Amino acid sequence: VTEHSSAFINNQLSKNQLLFAENIYKNSDMNISVSIGFTEILIKKLGVQFVTIPNVLDVNLFKLNEKQKSNQQFNFLNIGHLNENKNQIYLIQCFLEKFKGDLSKTLTVAGNGPQKGRIKSYIKKADSYKQVSLLGAPSRKEVRELIYQSDCLVVSSFIETFSVVIIESLSCGVPVVSVKSSGPASIITDDAYGILCNMDYLGDSLEKMFERKDSFSKENLRNYVVNNYSEEVISKSLQSIYSSVCN
């Protein structure tokens, strides 16, 4: 059984649901979690052993952009469901506090969800220089194109058990700023891949990312993902576990 749900972290499960989950995990032959931090939380909460195998990425789809991007603009990107956990209004607020009126800096938010109306209203009220764009939910190929047009991916969520969009971005050679939670902390393990920060320092981290923009190697970012999250690597880990269980 592989667990992905952040409901175990943000206490959204009832006592009965937790007992139901605990019963499943105690009777399975192997339990898998998608990040080290999430594994630790599940073991503590359920009292059952888990191993960690991260999500897999199609590195042939998410590859380096062959075209050179213009250096005249610095574009921040956020992709995700528009909900309270993803925290996009706070991200927009932080961005505008640091860069409002500097037209060489832009922010694109892409997604759909229950917060879309609120986000739209906030942008209309706060973004007098039209630096923030709100787009609908992109397809996987559209995600890649948005990453190609960007200089930094930003993850502003309170909780992420993994965050596939982080490895999508890194595989395309684009560094990441992320608020620290179990998923991002298991991926951004070195400042060569981006900046991991507490929520209160998100704005400062956006500024720091711009200052450090020339310090990131696109090839290094991509190689990190290929070596840790490609189908070849993850399938070997899964085959090893399946073989041990079957034996």
Side-chain angles (χ1 to χ4, degrees):
V1 181
T2 300
E3 185 57 67
H4 297 256
S5 178
S6 60
F8 287 91
I9 301 176
N10 54 24
N11 299 315
Q12 289 182 331
L13 300 177
S14 68
K15 188 177 180 180
N16 282 340
Q17 287 173 319
L18 280 171
L19 288 170
F20 181 75
E22 185 180 329
N23 186 54
I24 288 172
Y25 294 127
K26 282 183 175 177
N27 285 283
S28 70
D29 293 292
M30 182 67 73
N31 302 310
I32 300 170
S33 154
V34 291
S35 69
I36 294 170
F38 191 36
T39 294
E40 292 170 352
I41 289 167
L42 288 168
I43 291 172
K44 186 176 180 181
K45 192 173 283 279
L46 299 171
V48 182
Q49 194 57 45
F50 279 78
V51 297
T52 304
I53 297 182
N55 285 309
V56 67
L57 184 71
D58 182 353
V59 294
N60 295 315
L61 176 62
F62 291 91
K63 54 190 178 182
L64 296 179
N65 189 3
E66 294 176 2
K67 299 177 183 176
Q68 282 292 102
K69 183 188 167 294
S70 168
N71 289 324
Q72 294 179 339
Q73 291 282 131
F74 192 90
N75 304 319
F76 294 96
L77 173 66
N78 173 275
I79 301 176
H81 195 54
L82 306 183
N83 59 30
E84 289 186 9
N85 177 58
K86 300 293 185 182
N87 208 19
Q88 283 98 347
I89 289 179
Y90 179 71
L91 166 59
I92 296 165
Q93 179 187 340
C94 290
F95 170 81
L96 292 175
E97 282 178 359
K98 292 295 180 182
F99 304 117
K100 190 171 185 178
D102 181 353
L103 301 183
S104 67
K105 314 289 192 308
T106 61
L107 169 64
T108 299
V109 177
N112 282 319
Q115 290 278 302
K116 187 166 188 176
R118 282 192 63 203
I119 295 169
K120 205 171 183 179
S121 297
Y122 183 80
I123 293 171
K124 189 175 180 180
K125 178 183 175 183
D127 181 29
S128 52
Y129 290 92
K130 311 292 185 190
Q131 291 170 259
V132 182
S133 302
L134 180 61
L135 308 178
S139 66
R140 292 190 75 215
K141 285 188 177 180
E142 288 169 340
V143 167
R144 184 186 65 181
E145 295 309 309
L146 286 171
I147 293 170
Y148 282 171
Q149 295 162 26
S150 303
D151 300 279
C152 170
L153 177 81
V154 187
V155 177
S156 53
S157 311
F158 288 101
I159 296 169
E160 291 285 351
T161 58
F162 187 71
S163 188
V164 171
V165 72
I166 290 180
I167 58 173
E168 289 172 344
S169 182
L170 294 176
S171 189
C172 294
V174 175
V176 178
V177 169
S178 179
V179 171
K180 189 175 182 180
S181 64
S182 60
S186 72
I187 303 171
I188 307 172
T189 55
D190 191 299
D191 61 8
Y193 312 135
I195 299 171
L196 202 63
C197 65
N198 292 327
M199 188 68 74
D200 293 345
Y201 291 94
L202 181 57
D204 291 339
S205 297
L206 298 181
E207 201 167 45
K208 188 177 179 182
M209 173 57 72
F210 176 72
E211 292 167 357
R212 286 188 55 202
K213 65 182 186 296
D214 296 324
S215 68
F216 297 97
S217 162
K218 292 180 181 295
E219 290 75 17
N220 185 39
L221 298 179
R222 175 166 173 79
N223 289 339
Y224 170 64
V225 174
V226 171
N227 293 334
N228 290 278
Y229 303 102
S230 63
E231 184 176 335
E232 181 181 358
V233 171
I234 302 301
S235 63
K236 282 181 181 177
S237 296
L238 289 170
Q239 285 170 355
S240 174
I241 281 182
Y242 297 160
S243 295
S244 69
V245 168
C246 292
N247 289 336

